[in-house]
Amino acid sequence: MEDLLSEPQIGDYLTQISGWVRLGSEIRREFKFKNFLQAMNFVNAVAEAAEKSNHHPDIDIRWNTVVLRLSTHSKGGLTELDFKMAGTINGLI
């Protein structure tokens, strides 16, 4: 089971994943696409990656904008899993 990260660890991980910001006990990133279809294709790719890793982001879709939030809910905060998933998601762009 993953352990919660310390504040210095979270800071270190944030420097390694572009575009993500911390909001309390989660990390968040907004993605903009040309249209709704591109946004949905991205969400489907994220869903496949999330299933493979068994770590799922919260997803908000608004036409061409997708907002993803990651947190390890079972731990009540951020773990290494969140930052690994963020890196995987960044690789889908």
Side-chain angles (χ1 to χ4, degrees):
M1 189 63 93
E2 292 288 322
D3 292 326
L4 286 175
L5 296 173
S6 68
E7 291 299 320
Q9 288 172 312
I10 291 169
D12 288 344
Y13 275 113
L14 280 171
T15 65
Q16 298 172 35
I17 55 165
S18 65
W20 293 82
V21 295
R22 181 178 181 194
L23 294 172
S25 63
E26 64 185 21
I27 54 174
R28 175 193 186 276
R29 182 165 179 192
E30 181 176 293
F31 300 86
K32 291 218 180 244
F33 298 92
K34 183 179 177 183
N35 55 45
F36 182 72
L37 186 57
Q38 286 183 357
M40 290 306 300
N41 287 337
F42 172 70
V43 167
N44 287 331
V46 169
E48 286 182 32
E51 279 296 299
K52 286 180 185 174
S53 68
N54 195 30
H55 194 63
H56 306 86
D58 294 331
I59 302 172
D60 182 25
I61 306 163
R62 309 289 170 126
W63 185 60
N64 70 335
T65 304
V66 176
V67 177
L68 301 179
R69 290 180 173 86
L70 287 163
S71 181
T72 304
H73 300 293
S74 62
K75 288 291 186 173
L78 293 165
T79 68
E80 189 176 341
L81 289 173
D82 301 304
F83 291 94
K84 284 182 182 178
M85 190 66 206
T88 298
I89 291 167
N90 280 357
L92 298 174
I93 302 293

